[in-house]
Each structure stands twice: as C-alpha cells, then as structure tokens.
Amino acid sequence: MVVGMAATGIAPTGVGAARGAKTGANSNKMDPFGRIIDYLRISVTDRCNERCLYCMPEGYKGWERQPDHLTAAELIRIVRAAAGLGFRKFRLTGGEPLVRGDVPDIVRAMTEIPGVESIGLSTNGMKLAAQAQPLREAGLRTVNVSLDALDPEIYRRITGGDVARVLAGIRAAVAAGFERVKLNCVLMRGVNERELWPLVLFAAAHGLPLRLIELMPVTTTEVLTERNFMACGEAMRVLEQRDEMAPQPDRKLGHGPARYFLLKQTGALVGFIGALTNQHFCDQCNKMRLTADGKVRPCLGNHIEVDLRSALRRGADDTVLRELLETALRLKPWEHQFRNQYQPCRPMTAIGG
Ligand code: SAM
Ligand code: SF4
C-alpha cells in the first residue's frame, strides 16, 4: 500500500512528541525529528534460495512480478538521486541479493556515483563462496552473513539451507579482504537458543562480530509467537552464564542499531538488536529502505511508502526523484509500530531487511 502524505498519521505522539518535531528541519538528509538519514537499504529482489521460518510464510506465493523489479539501471538512477540528497551509506539486501546475477555490476556502478561512501551486502551466504572475490573487486566494502545455527540439522530446520555452504561463504568473504564481515542470528527461544554459545565461540575464533536480533513481526509466519520470541535481555543472561560481558557503548560497527558487548574470556564481540524491547531503538535511526519494486519505505515497521518506480517509468528526471526521496524523508515516523499490534502487509523480503 502506498500511503499519501495526508493519510500518514505521522504527527508526533508519545516519545516523539516529547522530543518535539523540529519544524523546518527537512533540509537535505534530516528527518522531521532532527535525525540525520544518510543510509539506504536496497532490496534488489524479493526472491530467495532459502525459506527461513521467521521470514518466508509457509507456502508463500506473493512474489512481486518480475517486470516490477527495478532494473540495474533504475537502481543506479535512484542511488544517484539519493547520493545527491546526502545519502552516503548503502546496503544491498533482499530477499537474497545473490540470486540476482548482476550484483557485482550494480556495486561497480554505485562506486562511481559521487557521494557514495560505503556499500554493504546482507546475504544468507549460500552463494557467497563464488561471489565474494568478484564483489570485493567490484568495490563492496562490508558483508553481513545470516547464521542462525551451526548445527547442520538445526540450520536446515530454520532456513531449509545447507550450513556447510554458508560457512564456505564466510571463509571466502574473510579471504577476500572485506573491511568487515559480520554474522547475524535471529533469536528464537526453543529453536536456536542452544546454538547461541557455539555461535559465540565460532565468532570469537574467526574474529567476526556476532549480532543477535530479536524476532520482528515483519512477516505473518507461524514462528512469530510469544513463546518463540526471545528478548535480547534473555539472550544476554544465557551468555552471562558462560562469560563476563563488558558493555562497549562507544563501539559502532557499521551503521546499524546494535549495542555491543565484549565477552572477556572468549574475546567475542556480540551486538544486540532489540527492536521490540529496546525502547530507544528508533532514537538514532539513520535509514530508509527501497523495496524490490521501487518504493521508498521510510520505516520498516510502518506501511508508508513512496513510489519511485512509477515516476522513473514515466521519465522522471533526477530532480523529481530527489523530491520523492525528500517526501519519504518528511514522512518518516518517529518510531516503528511493532509494539502496537503491527500487521505486516508484505514480507521483509520485498522491503529489504
Ligand atoms: N537473505 C539475506 C539474509 O538472510 O541475510 C538478506 C535479507 S534478510 C530479510 C536480512 C536480515 O533480516 C537477516 O539477517 C534476517 O535474519 C533478518 N530477518 C528476516 N526476518 C526477520 C524477522 N522476522 N525478525 C528479525 N529479523 C529478521
Ligand atoms: Fe531468505 Fe534472508 Fe528471508 Fe532467510 S532471512 S528467507 S535467507 S531473505
């Protein structure tokens, strides 16, 4: 659903109102609440070669039509407009971005756009072993790999995929010399809870930061139940039984909202992404999203979208694209709706996780 400006309901309420929307603060990359928004996450496809319990609804068939996906040329036009507006950091995601064969070409073209400072990729790692080196050579700087379990059976139960391929992908990414390779794990009580410690040891052994992510209601899958939901605080207590955790309040690895801790004995660096339980999760938000079918989405947990693809296909020039991006920026709500019985209207694969 593409929501018009009049129907957005973004008037500041709650915490936002307390902070106060800054009037006239919309110059370039600032949202109405004074947050600098300079990070665009781009879903390059809603297709995927895995079927994660928490992401793809069972029997999902709601794929975007292939002709509705942005072409590489259209993606580049939008990145250029965004960079012109002040966006500096970009991440390619999906769906699984590497099921699309032209990602190295997209990365290479993005590196030539003035203003683009950093390009990252989020991947499930299944195709990373073969792609890591070409991506690095194309100018990709950072890679986040999803890894919800090390045990092959548990990994397969969660994702439908083969953990050996993911581990080969991680090794290839490290060998390719990316500036940073991070691991992402979605927390699910009773599903991968017992994998947390092995994942910490794996992360420490390879010197890779591990981020533990709370389940978010971004898809209507059966796993999104209260029983399966594991808060970051609960995961912290699990890890505290094994190691002393020292908060790293000044540690910023990349552009995301993780809060990092150093585990003193193992040396692991573990970040917690608590979209549901961290009441200040949105305070420092710096991003918007571009959906696989060309809509700019100012917030993952809100249905507001601004349609860039239609404008592009009507022949809009860069000025119009920048204006539409600015419209999305103005519509950015203070916080997500995940704690307010949020009903996702389309899955994260299309929106870009
Ligand atoms: N396919 C790639 C991958 O799996 O990394 C990129 C897309 S995926 C949608 C991006 C991130 O979103 C992954 O780290 C994934 O674990 C996370 N994710 C997907 N569904 C989620 C959910 N319901 N709650 C929390 N994180 C989720
Ligand atoms: Fe695919 Fe990533 Fe979603 Fe898993 S989390 S189903 S790998 S898009």
Side-chain angles (χ1 to χ4, degrees), residues 54 93-96 122-124 146 184 186 214-216 218 348:
Y54 46 74
T93 175
E96 172 49 38
S122 289
T123 174
N124 60 27
S146 290
N184 283 342
V186 175
E214 281 177 357
L215 262 183
M216 292 182 282
V218 283
M348 188 146 168

Side-chain angles (χ1 to χ4, degrees), residues 48-52 54-56 94-96 124 146 349:
C48 188
N49 50 0
E50 288 195 333
R51 291 287 177 274
C52 299
Y54 46 74
C55 184
M56 285 274 174
E96 172 49 38
N124 60 27
S146 290
T349 43

Side-chain angles (χ1 to χ4, degrees), residues 321-339:
L321 294 182
R322 275 201 301 276
E323 281 167 8
L324 288 170
L325 282 160
E326 278 189 297
T327 300
L329 208 58
R330 275 197 297 277
L331 295 174
K332 190 166 167 61
W334 166 247
E335 60 188 351
H336 64 64
Q337 293 297 311
F338 291 149
R339 287 183 285 264

Side-chain angles (χ1 to χ4, degrees), residues 146-203:
S146 290
L147 185 63
D148 295 324
L150 283 171
D151 178 278
E153 274 314 305
I154 301 177
Y155 183 86
R156 186 173 293 283
R157 185 148 29 97
I158 296 171
T159 69
D162 176 3
V163 75
R165 282 179 64 178
V166 181
L167 297 181
I170 293 170
R171 280 195 296 276
V174 171
F178 288 104
E179 289 173 17
R180 202 166 32 242
V181 178
K182 288 188 289 202
L183 306 175
N184 283 342
C185 165
V186 175
L187 295 164
M188 287 168 286
R189 191 190 298 122
V191 180
N192 63 352
E193 198 177 342
R194 273 189 283 160
E195 288 294 290
L196 294 186
W197 189 246
L199 283 167
V200 166
L201 295 180
F202 177 86

Side-chain angles (χ1 to χ4, degrees), residues 51-67:
R51 291 287 177 274
C52 299
L53 289 175
Y54 46 74
C55 184
M56 285 274 174
E58 182 113 345
Y60 179 66
K61 298 226 166 46
W63 312 107
E64 309 292 343
R65 289 180 338 124
Q66 201 74 48

